[in-house]
Amino acid sequence: MTHAQDLEHVSRRPGPEYVASWKIGNIGYIGLKRSEYSLSLIQKRILNTEWESVRTLRSTDHVNLINLVEAFEDGSLYLVYNYHGFTVDLARVCARPQVRFTEEEIAVICKYTIHGLQYIHDILNVAHGDLSLRNIVLHDDGQIRIAANIGNSLLKNGRDKRKDLKNLGYLIARLSDPDTVLRSDIENARNVSQRGKDFLAILPSASYRRIFQHEFLQQARVDGGSRILIPHYLNTIGFAWPLPLAVAEESSDI
């Protein structure tokens, strides 16, 4: 499904609904919802009332996003996302010295990321605003999702959608050539084929229809294509996740 709904219960306190089990680094809390016995990822943040509003928050529903389920406000703002178990972001994958992506693998990553971006742009009608290797995550089944920060994008209500696509072009160059650090290096990135360079050239200005029809993305298989990324997940997961900072001896309200 590719719909979005206005969030209900934004003003309700989260404590009675969720029990926090542990805190993972700076990512957030893994919480248990009492009524459903399901796990969620809960992020706590301070709302900047000068340029952010909870009125722009909506639940999201797309396979290539870590979806925002609901939000609560109680002095701080709590954003509740679907929990997908242990994932690794692409920045950590690229940091592994033995990792080298093939062009087909890059096309798979790119295709699923673009599906998520199209939903953010066309259905949510906002820009992501912070697309980077750190904000794209790889799952144990090879699935690619844009990380749990869509709530921040909705709060900021940014409109520079083309910047997201420009940033995606940088990510393609970075995945092709790990030494590409500066955005100005995109045109000189090594290991990018001619069709890859052609794709980078059209990406910032082309329609989504033209983007999906490009031969660079046609390398990504329709069914099961993401499975080719599983080895990268397995080679990274043992080095990626911090241990819980504090595991509660007894479950407690957030």
Side-chain angles (χ1 to χ4, degrees):
M1 298 177 66
T2 56
H3 68 273
Q5 296 179 346
D6 292 338
L7 285 175
E8 300 177 355
H9 314 309
V10 172
S11 62
R12 191 173 63 187
R13 187 178 184 276
E17 284 288 321
Y18 291 92
V19 176
S21 296
W22 63 80
K23 187 175 187 296
I24 300 291
N26 295 321
I27 298 171
Y29 294 90
I30 305 300
L32 175 69
K33 190 168 186 177
R34 296 177 189 270
S35 59
E36 300 175 4
Y37 296 101
S38 60
L39 292 176
S40 300
L41 173 64
I42 304 174
Q43 296 179 348
K44 179 180 177 181
R45 70 193 300 278
I46 303 299
L47 186 68
N48 187 327
T49 56
E50 292 186 6
W51 50 276
E52 295 179 332
S53 172
V54 295
R55 294 180 180 179
T56 59
L57 288 175
R58 289 181 285 172
S59 63
T60 65
D61 184 9
H62 193 276
V63 67
N64 296 119
L65 264 66
I66 294 183
N67 286 298
L68 179 66
V69 178
E70 52 188 334
F72 303 94
E73 194 174 12
D74 179 34
S76 297
L77 180 66
Y78 298 84
L79 301 174
V80 182
Y81 294 91
N82 287 336
Y83 177 66
H84 291 277
F86 291 120
T87 62
V88 293
D89 63 64
L90 291 186
R92 292 183 183 271
V93 177
C94 288
R96 302 287 295 152
Q98 70 271 33
V99 169
R100 289 294 183 270
F101 290 99
T102 67
E103 187 168 270
E104 181 184 359
E105 291 170 339
I106 295 171
V108 169
I109 292 170
C110 187
K111 187 170 187 176
Y112 287 119
T113 302
I114 291 174
H115 276 301
L117 277 180
Q118 185 180 26
Y119 173 83
I120 293 171
H121 292 170
D122 293 350
I123 304 300
L124 302 181
N125 195 29
V126 297
H128 182 276
D130 191 23
L131 194 68
S132 66
L133 292 175
R134 190 167 298 280
N135 288 328
I136 300 175
V137 294
L138 174 62
H139 296 250
D140 59 357
D141 61 354
Q143 183 61 271
I144 289 290
R145 288 186 173 92
I146 297 174
N149 56 6
I150 188 60
N152 293 333
S153 303
L154 289 166
L155 287 167
K156 294 174 182 177
N157 202 25
R159 298 296 173 179
D160 193 353
K161 300 173 184 178
R162 286 296 162 184
K163 182 179 178 181
D164 289 340
L165 292 171
K166 290 179 182 178
N167 286 343
L168 181 59
Y170 168 71
L171 300 188
I172 295 171
R174 180 71 175 82
L175 292 170
S176 302
D177 176 12
D179 294 328
T180 302
V181 178
L182 301 176
R183 297 182 190 277
S184 59
D185 290 338
I186 291 178
E187 295 181 358
N188 299 318
R190 297 169 295 180
N191 304 323
V192 180
S193 67
Q194 187 57 52
R195 62 184 169 188
K197 292 178 180 178
D198 292 343
F199 184 71
L200 290 175
I202 71 159
L203 193 55
S205 58
S207 67
Y208 274 109
R209 181 177 181 180
R210 185 183 176 195
I211 288 172
F212 282 118
Q213 289 176 341
H214 196 278
E215 62 175 336
F216 177 80
L217 286 191
Q218 297 307 309
Q219 300 175 89
R221 290 175 290 172
V222 176
D223 297 322
S226 63
R227 287 199 295 267
I228 66 173
L229 300 175
I230 293 176
H232 293 303
Y233 174 89
L234 296 176
N235 287 332
T236 308
I237 186 62
F239 303 90
W241 268 75
L243 293 174
L245 293 182
V247 180
E249 294 182 2
E250 296 182 1
S251 297
S252 58
D253 292 344
I254 293 175

